[in-house]
Amino acid sequence: MGIEVGSILDGKVTGITNFGAFVSLPGNRSGLVHISEIAYSYVNDVHDHLAEGQEVKVKVIGVDANNRINLSIKQAAPPPPRPERRPGPRPGSPNPHARPEGEHRQARRPGSGRSFTPEPVQPRGPASFEDQLKQFMASSDSKLSELHMNEKRGSRRGGRK
């Protein structure tokens, strides 16, 4: 059987490196499974997923001009099921169940018999990467404009005689 792109073959791991694993293939050939093609999850250390001498099923994903064979273990098997997403509001969309601002539910302290209005919960920090990026960009812009203004002031002082 020839080694063609798209073929699924059985092989044996012959060597492990920081960037992937070498696999022996039928016909006395060998190929490389890059670390990014070992598993659908993040692979920090190849040794956590593979061992020398381990039998693996691989898919040929490329053959370069030097006849080096690029392989994938993760593409040789179906992807794992994705976790179900619960329907709900998307980030950034208004919450239809939210109370109008300033309106609080009255709560009772256990055993006191009196009600109190809890303090609104303040977010501890940006909730998403986009929020963190916006905060960083605003801070960066502020610092850059301050630096730019200081440079202008300095050039005026030194430029006049």
Side-chain angles (χ1 to χ4, degrees):
M1 176 182 200
I3 295 179
E4 301 170 356
V5 174
S7 302
I8 295 183
L9 309 167
D10 290 319
K12 183 184 273 190
V13 176
T14 57
I16 295 178
T17 67
N18 291 339
F19 54 85
F22 289 97
V23 176
S24 67
L25 301 170
N28 212 20
R29 305 278 311 262
S30 67
L32 173 70
V33 178
H34 187 265
I35 192 169
S36 64
E37 292 294 329
I38 291 174
Y40 282 99
S41 60
Y42 176 74
V43 177
N44 186 42
D45 185 1
V46 178
H47 291 94
D48 293 342
H49 296 267
L50 298 172
E52 285 192 36
Q54 179 180 349
E55 297 282 335
V56 291
K57 189 173 288 290
V58 293
K59 179 177 181 178
V60 179
I61 58 173
V63 179
D64 68 12
N66 296 324
N67 281 331
R68 292 182 295 198
I69 302 168
N70 298 316
L71 304 169
S72 174
I73 292 173
K74 71 181 185 182
Q75 291 184 36
R82 294 181 71 166
E84 279 189 36
R85 294 185 68 202
R86 294 187 303 162
R90 293 181 179 262
S93 67
N95 182 351
H97 303 292
R99 297 177 189 278
E101 195 160 322
E103 185 180 312
H104 300 287
R105 194 176 110 212
Q106 294 293 318
R108 294 185 174 267
R109 288 188 179 158
S112 71
R114 291 180 277 163
S115 64
F116 73 100
T117 303
E119 291 292 318
V121 177
Q122 296 294 326
R124 292 183 178 228
S128 69
F129 174 76
E130 287 80 13
D131 292 338
Q132 289 177 346
L133 184 59
K134 285 178 188 174
Q135 186 179 23
F136 171 78
M137 292 299 291
S139 172
S140 178
D141 287 345
S142 172
K143 289 176 185 176
L144 280 174
S145 66
E146 185 178 312
L147 180 64
H148 184 68
M149 290 302 292
N150 287 339
E151 286 177 358
K152 279 187 173 180
R153 288 183 190 138
S155 66
R156 287 182 186 159
R157 289 185 201 144
R160 292 185 181 172
K161 290 187 178 184

